[in-house]
Amino acid sequence: MTTHKDLIVWQKAMQLVLLVYRYTKSFPKEEMYGITGQMRRASVSIPSNIAEGYGRSSNKELIHFLDIAMGSSSELETQIIISYKLQFLQEPEYNELSSLNDEVMKMLASLIRNKKSKLNT
């Protein structure tokens, strides 16, 4: 039986969480309850909602939680840009976070389309 842990998108989202935590360690201490906390919560929300959706009993519920994960990924995208513009992230860190988050977003979009198509059949 496969679980959410077998999904590449969940695995990539977990990598994203680890990167966000690693890079936000160097953010200014006064941002601990600002952008640092927001980025950490948004990143953790992505794999958490994928997992919760896969723990539900229907495709409709799964899609709902995948949509929430997508929203968190979009939120994180904005926070990554803000952090770069405030010079909390250097260009290589920004590029790595942005690239991985973009990959997660594309995979989530594909998974959502796939699950929605199965609802209509």
Side-chain angles (χ1 to χ4, degrees):
M1 179 177 128
T2 61
T3 70
H4 63 276
K5 292 182 273 185
D6 299 309
L7 295 171
I8 294 171
V9 67
W10 182 85
Q11 295 167 11
K12 296 266 184 191
M14 291 294 288
Q15 290 174 4
L16 184 58
V17 171
L18 298 178
L19 278 180
V20 165
Y21 269 77
R22 180 182 311 143
Y23 292 147
T24 57
K25 274 184 186 179
S26 65
F27 281 19
K29 295 298 172 213
E30 64 267 16
E31 287 299 327
M32 180 53 74
Y33 301 105
I35 193 88
T36 301
Q38 288 180 306
M39 287 180 73
R40 289 177 174 186
R41 282 188 299 278
S43 68
V44 167
S45 177
I46 301 165
S48 298
N49 277 290
I50 294 168
E52 186 165 358
Y54 268 80
R56 298 298 176 126
S57 59
S58 72
N59 261 356
K60 187 175 180 184
E61 288 179 295
L62 170 59
I63 292 165
H64 171 74
F65 284 98
L66 292 176
D67 280 337
I68 293 170
M70 179 66 91
S72 294
S73 189
S74 295
E75 180 182 350
L76 180 60
E77 177 183 43
T78 298
Q79 295 160 351
I80 291 168
I81 293 166
I82 291 168
S83 296
Y84 179 65
K85 289 183 180 282
L86 290 172
Q87 299 179 337
F88 296 162
L89 289 172
Q90 299 303 311
E91 191 166 351
E93 298 166 337
Y94 168 78
N95 290 337
E96 187 176 14
L97 285 171
S98 292
S99 176
L100 186 53
N101 192 50
D102 287 348
E103 190 176 356
V104 167
M105 290 176 82
K106 287 175 186 167
M107 293 173 88
L108 280 170
S110 177
L111 186 56
I112 291 167
R113 272 193 310 276
N114 178 276
K115 296 301 179 182
K116 281 183 176 178
S117 72
K118 291 182 180 180
L119 278 182
N120 300 326
T121 57

